Amino acid sequence: MSASRLVLLSKKLIKPSSPTPLSHRIHNLSLMDQMGTHSYMAAMLFYPKQDTTTSMPEPTKISQILEKSLSKVLTSYYPFAGHVKDNSFVECNDMGADLSQVRIDCPMSSIFDQPRTYIDNLVLPIDPWFPSTDSLVATQLCHFECGGIALGACLSHKVSDGYTMSRFLRDWAMVARDTEAKPSPLFNGASIFKPSNSSSFQVVKDPPLNKNVSKRYHFSASKLKALKSMIDSADSTSQIRPTTVETITAFLSKCVNTPTFTPSLLVQAVNLRGTSNDALVPADLTGNAALPFVVSATNKEEMNLQRLVIELRKGKEKIQDMLKYIESEELLCSKVSEIAREMNERTSNNDVSIYRFTSLRKFPVNDMNFGWGRPRKVDVATYPINMFVLMDNQNGDGLEVIVNLDEGKMSAFERNDELLQFASPCSGL
């Protein structure tokens, strides 16, 4: 497929439907936001025409719905229409969000025969790793010749993590369906994770970026059950029953280190938000609220599934206990900085392989109904680092994992017999 088959129809800057009050014109970044990278979170939502339970509106109507609802939702998410200044605050000047509209002259199904990086370039409005915009939000509506549509969305990591992005897209969809809906995101991160005024505070360093390939795998519910049973039966004395995330993280770590082992660090992100808005980190907090922990494997014997599950549980519980027993925001920020410093030290070793894991399970990534049904497929951009992204299967059957590795590692990984015993490669819509 040639690049000429993508035609730019329009590009607009969508401003909030109501001006931001002067009292809200400065939104201070939290310490977690300050520590974040300048890359963008990226998501792609695919809506084939024949999938919709209600009739798909005409293309002009779709663009009108998205423009109007984006303008309205930005009134609630007013910092997202602003501009970051000095890694310190967002100037909430109602600059707006980018919304492009393109025509792709082929059926939607045909693009899934192409490499995943090619799909990224078609559907996403910008390169999320080398952004070409000052806008904190960039979106793109894609019209395919079959009548289906895709929505690509990029949201700056300076104001968002994966949870925030999924909430923003869900609220945008909610407003598109109901113009009276009023989202209520919480923008009080700076009062919890107090920002630093010092230039010496710990920023989590960006890893080197590679030219990676990406593959998607499905673990059915029955295969997940079998995998958990295999781990349980290998150590009957263990009191730990592995969660789904622990099971898949340990299993994939072993697979990527087979047959050739290299000393490895497994980096797992933990969502710090509580289950209610009375928690130290409220459930509806908007912005960045995730911390990583590290599990190391210095030899092949340590790449043992039972051992990895135990270490993953310890790492998660250490962070959860930190939140449980910390009584002040000042101590919380001190701990966050300490973890960032440790992360930089441990991941700066060029002699180890680093594999990052993040889970979008139980996030509202499948609820993006703008009025023409839920998406058939939700996807993320290819990561230029070793990254595994866990997502719920949209049919409720287990989960899916998006694997990002360089070509050499991927070549060995996708031929791993144990992997293929439990996981099936995903293709197409």
Side-chain angles (χ1 to χ4, degrees):
M1 185 187 303
S2 65
S4 62
R5 298 186 71 175
L6 185 148
V7 180
L8 178 64
L9 302 177
S10 66
K11 186 172 183 178
K12 297 181 179 180
L13 201 56
I14 307 299
K15 297 180 180 295
S17 58
S18 300
T20 299
L22 290 176
S23 59
H24 288 59
R25 283 298 177 110
I26 299 296
H27 168 68
N28 289 319
L29 295 178
S30 72
L31 177 63
M32 301 287 281
D33 298 329
Q34 289 180 312
M35 288 164 51
T37 71
H38 288 280
S39 62
Y40 279 59
M41 309 293 298
M44 295 173 282
L45 316 176
F46 295 91
Y47 302 86
K49 187 172 184 178
Q50 66 272 20
D51 261 19
T52 57
T53 53
T54 57
S55 60
M56 180 81 78
E58 292 299 313
T60 301
K61 182 64 173 176
I62 291 173
S63 63
Q64 290 173 348
I65 290 171
L66 290 179
E67 284 184 26
K68 185 176 180 180
S69 54
L70 179 57
S71 178
K72 185 173 175 60
V73 80
L74 284 174
T75 301
S76 298
Y77 285 84
Y78 59 93
F80 292 4
H83 182 67
V84 172
K85 295 281 191 178
D86 304 322
N87 198 33
S88 177
F89 64 91
V90 177
E91 182 182 4
C92 305
N93 57 5
D94 297 336
M95 180 176 72
D98 295 340
L99 176 58
S100 302
Q101 194 170 177
V102 302
R103 185 181 75 240
I104 301 175
D105 293 330
C106 69
M108 179 186 291
S109 58
S110 70
I111 70 171
F112 293 98
D113 297 330
Q114 306 292 328
R116 286 173 54 87
T117 49
Y118 185 85
I119 300 172
D120 297 347
N121 293 335
L122 275 182
V123 176
L124 294 175
I126 59 172
D127 182 336
W129 312 108
F130 300 97
S132 57
T133 180
D134 288 331
S135 298
L136 297 179
V137 176
T139 60
Q140 180 168 288
L141 171 62
C142 307
H143 299 275
F144 291 87
E145 69 175 19
C146 57
I149 63 170
L151 182 64
C154 296
L155 182 52
S156 172
H157 221 324
K158 276 295 167 190
V159 293
S160 171
D161 57 12
Y163 183 78
T164 290
M165 183 168 196
S166 64
R167 289 289 297 262
F168 172 71
L169 291 174
R170 187 200 64 178
D171 287 346
W172 182 10
M174 177 178 68
V175 171
R177 297 193 314 272
D178 177 8
T179 57
E180 299 302 314
K182 294 183 179 179
S184 53
L186 293 178
F187 285 101
N188 61 341
S191 66
I192 300 166
F193 303 105
K194 305 254 182 222
S196 173
N197 296 319
S198 169
S199 60
S200 62
F201 78 95
Q202 290 291 317
V203 174
V204 176
K205 296 177 182 176
D206 288 331
L209 304 184
N210 304 315
K211 188 176 180 180
N212 276 0
V213 291
S214 180
K215 304 281 184 178
R216 189 167 181 145
Y217 291 87
H218 175 220
F219 289 81
S220 67
S222 60
K223 292 294 186 180
L224 274 174
K225 184 178 180 180
L227 191 52
K228 288 181 180 180
S229 296
M230 184 181 77
I231 295 174
D232 276 341
S233 62
D235 184 4
S236 58
T237 62
S238 174
Q239 299 299 309
I240 293 180
R241 294 294 171 260
T243 65
T244 296
V245 171
E246 290 166 349
T247 298
I248 295 299
T249 300
F251 179 67
L252 292 174
S253 300
K254 181 183 177 184
C255 288
V256 80
N257 267 290
T258 305
T260 304
F261 173 83
T262 57
S264 301
L265 295 180
L266 318 180
V267 182
Q268 175 77 62
V270 178
N271 181 15
L272 302 183
R273 295 170 180 86
T275 55
S276 74
N277 285 335
D278 294 329
L280 178 61
V281 184
D284 292 337
L285 179 70
T286 302
N288 287 284
L291 272 179
F293 66 87
V294 176
V295 172
S296 63
T298 58
N299 55 60
K300 198 166 186 176
E301 288 67 35
E302 290 185 340
M303 197 57 74
N304 171 284
L305 291 180
Q306 294 75 28
R307 184 238 171 208
L308 291 178
V309 165
I310 291 171
E311 293 302 313
L312 287 166
R313 180 69 60 86
K314 286 180 181 177
K316 181 176 68 175
E317 289 181 344
K318 182 178 179 181
I319 289 181
Q320 291 174 336
D321 287 345
M322 175 191 77
L323 290 176
K324 188 184 300 182
Y325 298 113
I326 281 180
E327 297 180 352
S328 70
E329 286 81 2
E330 288 76 11
L331 186 55
L332 175 62
C333 291
S334 173
K335 287 290 185 182
V336 167
S337 296
E338 180 183 320
I339 290 171
R341 187 178 301 108
E342 178 188 354
M343 178 64 58
N344 286 337
E345 290 173 356
R346 298 190 69 177
T347 58
S348 61
N349 184 352
N350 295 326
D351 296 327
V352 299
S353 296
I354 301 171
Y355 301 100
R356 290 173 166 82
F357 294 80
T358 188
S359 174
L360 304 182
R361 295 191 70 239
K362 301 181 181 178
F363 288 9
V365 296
N366 296 322
D367 295 339
M368 318 307 184
N369 180 359
F370 288 83
W372 42 84
R374 292 183 176 184
R376 165 87 77 87
K377 188 183 188 76
V378 177
D379 216 338
V380 298
T382 301
Y383 282 76
I385 57 177
N386 297 331
M387 173 67 85
F388 298 80
V389 182
L390 282 60
M391 303 174 68
D392 288 315
N393 174 264
Q394 287 180 262
N395 296 322
D397 181 20
L399 62 76
E400 296 183 8
V401 181
I402 301 169
V403 180
N404 303 271
L405 298 168
D406 66 47
E407 288 189 15
K409 284 189 173 72
M410 184 66 81
S411 178
F413 180 83
E414 63 186 349
R415 297 197 309 270
N416 184 287
D417 290 336
E418 192 171 23
L419 171 71
L420 298 176
Q421 180 184 343
F422 292 96
S424 303
C426 298
S427 61
L429 274 169

